[in-house]
Amino acid sequence: MKVLIISSYIFGYIDLIKPVLIQNNIDAKILYLGQEPLNFKYKSKAHHLSAFIMKGLGRNAKMDFRHNTILNKFKDDTFDQILIIHPQYLPKKTHLFLKSITSRYITFLFDSLAKMPRQKPVLKYFDEVFSYEKEDCIEQGFTFLTNFIPCCVEIRKEYVKDTEVFNISSLDNRFSDIKKIAENLLQNNIDYEFLIFSKKEKESSFVTFINQKLSISEVHKMFLKSKVLLDIQRSDQRGLSFRVMESLGYNKKLITTNPDIVTYDFYNPSNILVVDPENPVVSKEFINSSYEPVPEKIIRKYEINAWIKEIFKS
């Protein structure tokens, strides 16, 4: 099977599916929107100003660049299937072109429609839309599919545990929830390490700010050295984040503010603690109690291989 995947880089998570695609005899070409050959750059300050003016007139230089690059690269090519991730970053004419060179044009939404309403106008071009947001699937007729368990290092490898609770995230409106949880952990003498990425220099007595993003491999090594992972739900999201999938794959306990997690087949209150972000309470007993392994049959449902088989119907 010959497929094309066009996606945002998404911290490297899409890179992790490459070896599994090969194992499934899928010949896949992957293009990232922010990397060669699709990494749009302004040629000069004058070009930037011109593009800004044209955007006000309905012309988007970045979108036009992506369209022309994709058109020139694949005008003489065809694919059995094409998967687009973050479809809002391609214009209508690109979707129509790509749809014309494949038998099956599909997209997986990494964002809810509430978080990213810009997705909605282009979804009519797809033969099938996958989403991890249950509400969007019910209301819009999408196919429900969770994120996958990412595998960039050996799963379940034992490391010396350096930290009891670990979280890494970007600075956004979740910060107040992270701060409240940090305060509760301190009150209960629970060790933690919370890393918050921010482009601007910031300081806090509750978290550590970093100004450079870590590779997914570096982050996962930190997961392995932690007993418990922390997942902070976005206010406009109910679907399970990659942090949930990582806790599942690495046999890690999870603290989460996502109440919908209790509806999934892997939920076990011994492993997963749901907290109220306004009044989080984390006990030492939860941290210290043993992890109860999830049955392999359930784990396999969320692995990359199962995700790929569902996406490409292979």
Side-chain angles (χ1 to χ4, degrees):
M1 183 190 301
K2 182 180 177 183
V3 307
L4 170 64
I5 301 173
I6 301 178
S7 172
S8 300
Y9 189 62
I10 314 176
F11 304 107
Y13 283 105
I14 302 304
D15 269 346
L16 303 179
I17 75 175
K18 289 179 180 178
V20 187
L21 289 167
I22 294 172
Q23 293 169 13
N24 283 272
N25 296 314
I26 297 176
D27 176 14
K29 185 179 293 292
I30 302 178
L31 295 185
Y32 292 116
L33 295 172
Q35 298 181 12
E36 286 286 352
L38 297 178
N39 56 328
F40 174 80
K41 294 180 180 179
Y42 295 108
K43 299 174 183 178
S44 63
K45 290 184 178 179
H47 181 214
H48 195 171
L49 177 60
S50 173
F52 177 78
I53 294 171
M54 292 303 293
K55 190 172 183 179
L57 299 173
R59 289 292 302 275
N60 188 309
K62 183 182 292 187
M63 290 288 205
D64 285 344
F65 169 80
R66 289 172 179 168
H67 174 75
N68 292 330
T69 301
I70 291 170
L71 179 64
N72 291 330
K73 189 173 183 64
F74 299 118
K75 60 185 176 181
D76 298 320
D77 214 341
T78 59
F79 296 88
D80 295 305
Q81 302 189 47
I82 296 179
L83 169 66
I84 307 296
I85 295 174
H86 286 153
Q88 68 271 24
Y89 299 133
L90 294 175
K92 170 186 174 180
K93 57 186 176 182
T94 309
H95 289 297
L96 291 173
F97 165 69
L98 291 170
K99 189 175 177 67
S100 74
I101 62 170
T102 184
S103 301
R104 185 166 180 262
Y105 193 48
I106 55 179
T107 184
F108 181 86
L109 305 183
F110 271 89
D111 298 297
S112 67
L113 292 181
K115 178 186 175 186
M116 190 64 69
R118 287 175 55 195
Q119 300 171 118
K120 195 170 183 179
V122 301
L123 298 182
K124 60 187 176 184
Y125 303 117
F126 293 95
D127 299 313
E128 188 166 10
V129 177
F130 293 90
S131 171
Y132 59 44
E133 287 289 342
K134 292 178 181 177
E135 186 174 332
D136 287 348
C137 290
I138 293 170
E139 293 181 355
Q140 304 295 328
F142 302 157
T143 301
F144 177 73
L145 182 64
T146 66
N147 285 325
F148 52 81
I149 295 174
C151 312
C152 70
V153 292
E154 181 183 351
I155 286 186
R156 305 177 187 90
K157 183 176 180 180
E158 284 299 320
Y159 275 60
V160 175
K161 303 298 186 294
D162 291 338
T163 307
E164 287 184 312
V165 183
F166 179 79
N167 174 269
I168 183 168
S169 55
S170 297
L171 180 62
D172 53 34
N173 57 14
R174 296 173 294 174
F175 181 72
S176 61
D177 294 342
I178 292 174
K179 182 174 177 291
K180 289 174 185 175
I181 291 173
E183 291 173 335
N184 182 257
L185 294 176
L186 284 173
Q187 291 172 4
N188 291 317
N189 296 314
I190 297 172
D191 176 50
Y192 70 89
E193 182 177 14
F194 293 170
L195 303 180
I196 308 294
F197 170 74
S198 172
K199 292 181 180 179
K200 297 181 180 180
E201 292 289 336
K202 290 184 175 292
E203 293 185 359
S204 169
S205 58
F206 295 98
V207 305
T208 300
F209 283 101
I210 57 176
N211 55 23
Q212 287 191 348
K213 293 182 178 180
L214 303 181
S215 71
I216 195 169
S217 179
E218 291 175 307
V219 171
H220 282 198
K221 287 177 182 177
M222 292 179 176
F223 290 164
L224 287 167
K225 293 188 287 186
S226 307
K227 291 182 66 175
V228 183
L229 304 184
L230 172 65
D231 167 58
I232 304 295
Q233 176 191 356
R234 294 180 182 273
S235 60
D236 50 13
Q237 174 186 316
R238 292 293 180 273
L240 303 181
S241 69
F242 269 117
R243 194 68 73 245
V244 175
M245 295 293 109
E246 286 154 339
S247 70
L248 187 60
Y250 290 118
N251 282 357
K252 298 294 178 180
K253 288 196 169 193
L254 181 74
I255 299 169
T256 180
T257 60
N258 188 347
D260 193 53
I261 199 169
V262 303
T263 67
Y264 288 81
D265 55 1
F266 58 79
Y267 173 73
N268 181 337
S270 296
N271 298 337
I272 300 173
L273 176 65
V274 180
V275 297
D276 177 359
E278 294 301 318
N279 184 32
V281 178
V282 181
S283 70
K284 196 78 172 177
E285 287 76 19
F286 173 77
I287 301 296
N288 291 335
S289 62
S290 299
Y291 180 88
E292 297 183 6
V294 178
E296 286 295 322
K297 183 179 180 180
I298 293 178
I299 291 286
R300 285 194 293 271
K301 288 173 53 180
Y302 299 95
E303 290 181 335
I304 293 178
N305 192 59
W307 190 86
I308 287 174
K309 287 182 179 298
E310 178 64 20
I311 286 282
F312 294 115
K313 308 298 183 186
S314 59

